[in-house]
Amino acid sequence: LQFSTPEGAPKRFMVTSCSKSEGKSTTAIALAINFAQLGQRVLLIDADMRKASVHKTLRLPNERGLSNLLSGDMAHETLIQTTSIPGLAVMTAGPMPPDPVELLMGPKLMLFLNKAEEMGFSQVIVDGPPLLGLADSLVLGNQIQHIVFALKAGETKRNVIKDSLRRMRTAGLMPMGV
């Protein structure tokens, strides 16, 4: 990632995969911790509002989070949680909304991503939903642009990978790496 753009690692990127249980959340968390350990101020956002998991791994409450921000319920300052890892803050997914893709399509996410930079976060990592079966990741990808594509070694089927890549390409997206 440090060599993926002329400026180094992108300031914001999303981690996604073909389907569930392929390690996208584990990858997003590992990258967030890694950047924090390198001295960056990192914000990890769990944007998989249908099957949130970041809060479980990091042992954080999930009563409020991204869904609250996007629905206008709460200000972003009250939704960002600190962690035991210096330099790493998290916004969990929050309660599952009736239509996550509808919330993601609005302007609030992009406004918040810009605000996160103003708040001093040098890195924003978004743990996105899987690509197949949902429009959520494609909507997120069009707002974030930089995508890390997580696959489960030896298990993700080739035709599933091809379908996912085709879906991204159709939406005008291309992963930075796999």
Side-chain angles (χ1 to χ4, degrees):
L1 285 172
Q2 295 288 22
F3 304 109
S4 60
T5 72
E7 297 80 36
K11 298 282 184 216
R12 54 178 91 139
F13 62 88
M14 175 179 73
V15 179
T16 190
S17 64
C18 301
S19 53
K20 64 180 184 163
S21 303
E22 289 186 299
K24 66 187 165 321
S25 295
T26 303
T27 301
I29 292 168
L31 288 169
I33 291 170
N34 219 313
F35 280 111
Q37 289 174 337
L38 289 171
Q40 304 278 353
R41 191 152 174 254
V42 181
L43 175 62
L44 173 62
I45 301 172
D46 189 346
D48 190 349
M49 291 183 276
R50 297 174 199 267
K51 194 165 177 10
S53 65
V54 168
H55 69 282
K56 293 175 191 169
T57 305
L58 295 175
R59 296 186 177 108
L60 296 169
N62 189 36
E63 288 84 39
R64 54 189 168 74
L66 182 62
S67 61
N68 299 100
L69 175 80
L70 299 180
S71 64
D73 288 350
M74 302 175 125
H76 64 270
E77 295 90 353
T78 62
L79 301 173
I80 297 173
Q81 302 180 51
T82 57
T83 67
S84 60
I85 299 149
L88 177 61
V90 174
M91 180 180 286
T92 61
M96 189 171 105
D99 190 1
V101 75
E102 184 75 27
L103 288 180
L104 292 168
M105 290 175 103
K108 290 183 181 174
L109 178 62
M110 189 54 89
L111 292 170
F112 174 69
L113 291 172
N114 293 333
K115 184 75 174 164
E117 196 172 324
E118 291 172 22
M119 293 168 62
F121 290 106
S122 52
Q123 209 69 52
V124 177
I125 300 172
V126 178
D127 177 25
L131 283 160
L132 296 179
L134 305 169
D136 304 27
S137 274
L138 299 176
V139 169
L140 278 167
N142 278 306
Q143 294 184 59
I144 297 168
Q145 295 298 308
H146 299 287
I147 299 169
V148 173
F149 191 36
L151 302 173
K152 194 163 191 174
E155 290 192 32
T156 306
K157 304 279 187 250
R158 189 172 292 186
N159 63 326
V160 173
I161 297 169
K162 286 181 180 178
D163 288 346
S164 296
L165 289 171
R166 187 176 312 114
R167 195 152 193 237
M168 276 195 275
R169 197 170 33 254
T170 301
L173 303 171
M174 187 54 116
M176 295 185 311
V178 179

